[in-house]
């Protein structure tokens, strides 16, 4: 089984994009995948991943380098910065490195599907239009990542 870990907070506007991706994936479940939602961050994500060797992390990011609604898909190793542009992925590479160094079991493969967002810090419900339009393409990117794992 492969874990699809969708990170977000439904009360922080575009930060809920991964939660909407989870809804879409659950409507037509990918074979061999477990879908989970969490608002956890950093080291707490390791608890969510426990027992899985392969994980697809779905998250919102705000880099300012792409238009809102852009979907990115890449292996976690390609994330060079120790701190990510998402409140959830902050420290995930370093958290994994620390866990490995301590001898804790961690997934051998982690793939990231991220959606560039506009509003991460605004309290409220509902995605901005460009981000809402990215939900289906992000779900497609998750399905493609699952097939490649």
């Amino acid at each position: 089984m492969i874990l699809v870990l969708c990170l977000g907070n439904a009360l922080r506007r575009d930060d809920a994009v991964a939660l909407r991706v989870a809804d879409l994936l659950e409507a037509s479940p990918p074979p061999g995948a477990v879908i989970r939602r969490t608002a956890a961050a950093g080291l707490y994500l390791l608890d969510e991943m426990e027992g899985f060797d392969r994980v697809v992390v779905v998250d919102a990011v705000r880099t300012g380098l792409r238009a809102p609604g852009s979907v990115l898909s890449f292996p976690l190793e390609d994330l060079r910065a120790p701190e990510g542009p998402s409140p959830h992925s902050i420290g995930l590479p370093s958290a994994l490195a620390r866990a490995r160094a301590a001898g804790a079991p961690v997934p051998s493969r982690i793939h990231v599907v991220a959606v560039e967002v506009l509003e991460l810090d605004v309290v409220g419900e509902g995605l901005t239009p460009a981000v809402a339009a990215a939900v289906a393409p992000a779900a497609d990117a998750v399905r493609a990542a699952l097939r490649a794992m």
Side-chain angles (χ1 to χ4, degrees):
M1 295 298 272
I2 302 173
L3 174 64
V4 178
L5 188 57
C6 299
L7 313 179
N9 183 327
L11 299 177
R12 290 182 51 210
R13 296 284 305 203
D14 287 343
D15 192 38
V17 66
L19 306 178
R20 301 296 71 83
V21 171
D23 293 341
L24 197 56
L25 292 170
E26 287 175 338
S28 179
V34 173
I35 313 298
R36 285 191 186 161
R37 295 170 177 79
T38 187
L43 288 170
Y44 294 106
L45 292 175
L46 299 178
D47 292 335
E48 297 288 342
M49 296 178 188
E50 189 174 339
F52 292 92
D53 187 54
R54 296 172 292 162
V55 179
V56 176
V57 175
V58 185
D59 203 359
V61 295
R62 185 175 54 201
T63 66
L65 301 175
R66 292 169 187 79
S70 298
V71 176
L72 303 110
S73 182
F74 54 90
L76 183 66
E77 304 85 61
D78 288 358
L79 184 63
R80 299 286 179 228
E83 303 298 326
S86 161
H88 304 286
S89 66
I90 290 174
L92 182 56
S94 61
L96 288 164
R98 288 178 186 170
R100 277 190 192 101
V106 295
S108 66
R109 295 183 64 194
I110 299 177
H111 192 88
V112 177
V113 173
V115 178
E116 182 81 28
V117 299
L118 185 60
E119 296 182 359
L120 270 180
D121 302 320
V122 176
V123 175
E125 294 185 40
L127 303 175
T128 56
V131 173
V135 170
D140 290 343
V142 170
R143 290 179 189 283
L146 289 169
R147 286 190 298 272
M149 292 184 100

